[in-house]
Amino acid sequence: MQDDPKTKHFLNRAAFGPAPGLKTPVHTPTWIKSASHNRPIDVIPAAGGAPRMPDQRAPKDAKARRAKFLDELTQLNTTWIAQLTQPETLWREKMTLFWHDHFACRVRSAFLSQQLNNTVRREALGSFGDLLAAVSKDPAMLQFLNNQQNKKDSPNENFAREVLELFTLGRGHYTEADIKNGARAFTGWAFHPTSDAFVFRPRVHDDGPKTFMGKTGHFSGDDILHIILEDRQTARFITEKIWRYFVHEGPPDEDIAASLAEDFFRSDYDLHKLLTTVFSSSWFYEPRFVGNRIKSPVELLAGMLTQTGGRFEDPRAALFFQRGLSQVLFQPPNVGGWPTGTAWIDSSSLTFRMTVPALIFKNLANDYVPKDDGDANNTTNKAATRNLNCTVDWASLAQQFTKASTGETLAALEDHLLATPTTAANRKLVATQAASSTRDDEWMKQAFTAFMSLPEYQLS
């Protein structure tokens, strides 16, 4: 790895960091192909025609339904965390995580959440147009954005507003009239309450003439999505979001952004082509873009598992850390998704972030109790475990990383774990902590934990 910094940077962004035993250099197209396997999650069974949403009008079974929902959501969450780091699915899962935030959705049905997650996973690497259409007709999203209530005689603008503002064009590139007429076009888009399949209800659809983004016609919901995709601003909006996630938190270079957006538009929104262009460019590997991006909590957690090959003894430990770090899969704070960049870090959160490696790998006792947000439907308020231990084959890692001298071994670990070099003082600190161990496997655990506890490990 020390001879190939480009591979490390690529894997820090396209995955969750390099895994132990990686042979370098990595050929980007080959890696993308090998890590793109689509593995749908299927741990929450269909309810067989029973009402899936908790029925607030039936208090006798409300408690049992809520408990079942929390158990299912915990299972769904921990299953995805485990799948995030599988080598054959890494790239597709990273993109699924990206779209999980872009198409943020929170519903009180684990099955619908699973179904949307699988829809996003299936379309994550193909055409953005196909992805947009699939998500827009997904029952969870229709439920979350109130389109079940969007009817000809009582239009609800929530779905249309978020499609325009958050999913495609961005604020400032449409009018209030576009929202109103878009909402009229989406009337009748719903889902069947027992089959969980999209249905179009013509009796509540407004089939009158509508003017949308300068065009007039008897538009349907599909027509609205088509008109949105004809606007180059959609390509620009998506390209810039991908830039901020995979390249740099700040504004993109204007010439690069313009070129990427135009190619993306001309390719009919081919996501694979867009990301391959990004990762194949010379500017992606410039020093100004290396080690400058703050990992989200889930990326931090997945990185620690990926770079050690570790697995939680109790899968619910992953939920404990998501809750403590304020990013719980399937539980976005709102339709706008989670914060990004420096919003993840303050003095309190940084302290906890730097403590996580010791809690995971040393199984230290802790009395940390994530704050209950008061939401009875928030699974993270209920799921709890005190077994935070992660099983790692430290002896195998010792065999892989031990060099001729202690200094060379520490250098190999630093190169494996950190996006950019740390300071001499931090290297001395790591060496001191590791030196307390006499066994090779224990020494390796101490060194890994110490490097992962540095501020530099928060960056990719």
Side-chain angles (χ1 to χ4, degrees):
M1 181 61 71
Q2 285 176 298
D3 295 329
D4 188 28
K6 288 186 176 180
T7 291
K8 181 168 67 173
H9 180 56
F10 166 68
L11 292 175
N12 278 336
R13 300 298 174 84
F16 302 102
L22 178 73
K23 304 297 183 184
T24 61
V26 164
H27 183 243
T28 302
T30 301
W31 183 89
I32 286 177
K33 183 177 181 180
S34 68
S36 296
H37 181 67
N38 180 19
R39 181 179 296 160
I41 293 177
D42 184 22
V43 295
I44 311 301
R52 210 172 304 287
M53 296 294 177
D55 186 355
Q56 302 305 321
R57 298 167 299 181
K60 290 184 178 179
D61 64 1
K63 185 175 180 180
R65 285 178 178 275
R66 186 163 56 245
K68 182 174 183 290
F69 163 63
L70 297 180
D71 287 344
E72 289 182 339
L73 205 54
T74 297
Q75 186 179 6
L76 180 61
N77 181 298
T78 55
T79 299
W80 192 16
I81 285 290
Q83 183 161 306
L84 275 176
T85 59
Q86 297 301 305
E88 65 275 17
T89 62
L90 256 176
W91 172 230
R92 185 176 294 275
E93 295 303 328
K94 186 66 180 280
M95 284 300 291
T96 302
L97 182 63
F98 170 79
W99 294 120
H100 185 65
D101 180 57
H102 182 80
F103 294 111
C105 178
R106 178 171 174 166
V107 292
R108 291 186 298 171
S109 164
F111 180 81
L112 293 186
S113 294
Q114 174 183 266
Q115 187 170 259
L116 174 59
N117 187 243
N118 284 331
T119 296
V120 170
R121 178 174 290 104
R122 185 189 68 224
E123 305 293 344
L125 307 177
S127 162
F128 175 73
D130 292 343
L131 173 62
L132 175 65
V135 170
S136 297
K137 293 181 178 178
D138 188 275
M141 191 60 75
L142 292 170
Q143 172 73 22
F144 183 51
L145 297 181
N146 310 114
N147 213 64
Q148 290 276 78
Q149 293 79 44
N150 186 18
K151 301 175 182 178
K152 177 171 56 179
D153 297 330
S154 56
N156 185 308
E157 298 172 0
N158 196 28
F159 181 84
R161 184 182 299 278
E162 306 307 358
V163 166
L164 290 167
E165 179 180 334
L166 298 176
F167 298 169
T168 58
L169 294 169
R171 188 173 296 177
H173 296 281
Y174 54 86
T175 67
E176 284 298 311
D178 291 329
I179 294 173
K180 292 181 181 299
N181 285 310
R184 291 175 56 208
F186 288 120
T187 51
W189 280 29
F191 67 95
H192 197 279
T194 55
S195 69
D196 294 326
F198 172 81
V199 294
F200 174 64
R201 303 187 189 283
R203 296 179 62 181
V204 298
H205 175 65
D206 182 346
D207 59 359
K210 312 165 185 75
T211 297
F212 180 78
M213 297 183 67
K215 298 182 178 182
T216 301
H218 295 264
F219 296 137
S220 66
D222 287 317
D223 294 328
I224 296 299
L225 296 183
H226 182 70
I227 293 172
I228 290 172
L229 291 171
E230 286 182 328
D231 191 326
R232 281 178 161 77
Q233 170 57 27
T234 298
R236 179 68 184 233
F237 182 74
I238 298 301
T239 298
E240 290 193 6
K241 192 152 187 179
I242 283 177
W243 169 282
R244 292 177 189 274
Y245 189 83
F246 289 100
V247 183
H248 180 53
E249 298 280 1
D253 293 8
E254 178 54 36
D255 56 339
I256 296 175
S259 176
L260 288 174
E262 182 63 19
D263 288 347
F264 187 41
F265 180 79
R266 291 179 178 276
S267 72
D268 197 20
Y269 293 91
D270 187 331
L271 291 164
H272 173 78
K273 185 175 186 298
L274 172 62
L275 271 300
T276 299
T277 300
V278 170
F279 295 138
S280 301
S281 69
S282 58
W283 46 258
F284 176 73
Y285 299 95
E286 291 178 6
R288 61 186 174 129
F289 297 138
V290 176
N292 67 351
R293 182 178 175 278
I294 296 174
K295 299 173 184 175
S296 72
V298 170
E299 289 174 319
L300 181 68
L301 197 60
M304 286 187 282
L305 298 177
T306 297
Q307 294 190 286
T308 60
R311 290 291 177 270
F312 285 112
E313 292 179 356
D314 184 341
R316 293 176 299 171
L319 197 52
F320 172 88
F321 288 112
Q322 290 173 68
R323 182 179 166 193
L325 296 165
S326 302
Q327 186 185 28
V328 182
L329 297 176
F330 303 101
Q331 301 282 292
N334 53 57
V335 68
W338 286 277
T340 60
T342 56
W344 285 121
I345 297 289
D346 58 28
S347 57
S348 176
S349 63
L350 180 59
T351 299
F352 183 62
R353 275 174 168 248
M354 293 168 63
T355 306
V356 169
L359 295 176
I360 290 178
F361 299 126
K362 296 183 179 179
N363 199 23
L364 295 183
N366 76 95
D367 56 2
Y368 179 78
V369 179
K371 184 178 179 181
D372 189 323
D373 67 2
D375 183 353
N377 296 303
N378 185 347
T379 181
T380 67
N381 290 329
K382 304 300 178 186
T385 177
R386 305 315 295 175
N387 180 9
L388 305 179
N389 198 39
C390 187
T391 300
V392 176
D393 188 346
W394 296 111
S396 175
L397 292 179
Q399 288 183 340
Q400 292 182 45
F401 286 97
T402 299
K403 307 298 180 186
S405 69
T406 299
E408 290 176 282
T409 302
L410 289 171
L413 292 183
E414 179 180 348
D415 187 63
H416 174 63
L417 296 171
L418 304 185
T420 55
T422 188
T423 64
N426 282 339
R427 291 192 192 100
K428 184 177 180 180
L429 177 66
V430 172
T432 300
Q433 293 184 17
S436 63
S437 304
T438 55
R439 287 179 15 209
D440 289 348
D441 58 344
E442 186 63 24
W443 187 96
M444 194 59 59
K445 179 168 72 173
Q446 296 291 346
F448 260 81
T449 304
F451 272 120
M452 288 180 163
S453 300
L454 296 176
E456 289 90 335
Y457 191 71
Q458 306 303 315
L459 303 172
S460 72

